Amino acid sequence: MKARVHVMLKNGVLDPQGEAVRHALGAMGFDGVNGVRQGKVIELDLNDGATQADVEVMCEKLLANTVIESYTVEMG
Amino acid sequence: MKARVHVMLKNGVLDPQGEAVRHALGAMGFDGVNGVRQGKVIELDLNDGATQADVEVMCEKLLANTVIESYTVEMG
């Protein structure tokens, strides 16, 4: 089974990658981009029987830095 | 309005980041992880009236390297 994890910087944490993308889009003539946040998406291919709780433990221990990042898990 | 773009390496393209995560999870005792792919998620805050086609142009020109990466756009 598949699980997809999104890891984003928390609100209020400076996101230089996102800011660079926003700036580049403006320089390329794309108006109307008010903000950009960039994060990671991690797709896991798991044995059947894995639960969302298992994936959340992986997030807490490895995939996300919970001091500055938040994560969401989608199973299926 | 918000748009969310997922950028993933195409199938068949080596993903060293994902491979490193898979290896680390195994070393930490998480069994049953058969594969990991890591990509980017980019959240755009756009002026009202922006369309999915606009965002797809941004992907083609800046956000994704379409030689090795595929992207999907979700509006809303």
Side-chain angles (χ1 to χ4, degrees), chain A residues 4 6 8 21 25 28 32-47 61-63, chain B residues 4 6 8 21 25 28 32-47 61-63:
Chain A
R4 176 181 269 194
H6 286 104
M8 300 295 294
V21 169
L25 287 171
M28 292 171 75
V33 180
N34 304 313
V36 179
R37 303 285 285 176
Q38 182 168 329
K40 291 181 286 188
V41 56
I42 301 161
E43 290 183 353
L44 301 159
D45 180 12
L46 302 169
N47 281 357
K61 292 200 173 170
L62 180 72
L63 303 180
Chain B
R4 177 180 267 193
H6 285 106
M8 299 294 294
V21 170
L25 287 170
M28 293 171 72
V33 180
N34 303 314
V36 179
R37 304 284 286 175
Q38 182 168 331
K40 291 180 288 189
V41 57
I42 301 162
E43 290 183 353
L44 301 160
D45 180 11
L46 301 168
N47 281 356
K61 291 199 173 169
L62 180 72
L63 303 179

Side-chain angles (χ1 to χ4, degrees), chain B residues 4 10-11 19-20 28 32 34 37 40 50-51 53 56-57 59 72:
Chain B
R4 177 180 267 193
K10 290 180 180 176
N11 286 333
E19 202 54 29
M28 293 171 72
N34 303 314
R37 304 284 286 175
K40 291 180 288 189
T51 64
E56 285 173 359
V57 174
C59 291
T72 55

Side-chain angles (χ1 to χ4, degrees), chain A:
Chain A
M1 68 187 309
K2 300 277 187 183
R4 176 181 269 194
V5 177
H6 286 104
V7 180
M8 300 295 294
L9 287 167
K10 290 180 179 174
N11 287 333
V13 178
L14 192 68
D15 179 0
Q17 278 188 303
E19 202 54 29
V21 169
R22 192 185 64 77
H23 188 79
L25 287 171
M28 292 171 75
F30 293 105
D31 297 325
V33 180
N34 304 313
V36 179
R37 303 285 285 176
Q38 182 168 329
K40 291 181 286 188
V41 56
I42 301 161
E43 290 183 353
L44 301 159
D45 180 12
L46 302 169
N47 281 357
D48 288 344
T51 65
Q52 181 155 346
D54 296 332
V55 179
E56 284 172 359
V57 175
M58 295 179 197
C59 291
E60 292 284 338
K61 292 200 173 170
L62 180 72
L63 303 180
N65 174 355
T66 55
V67 177
I68 55 168
E69 293 173 327
S70 60
Y71 62 85
T72 55
V73 176
E74 295 164 36
M75 305 297 288

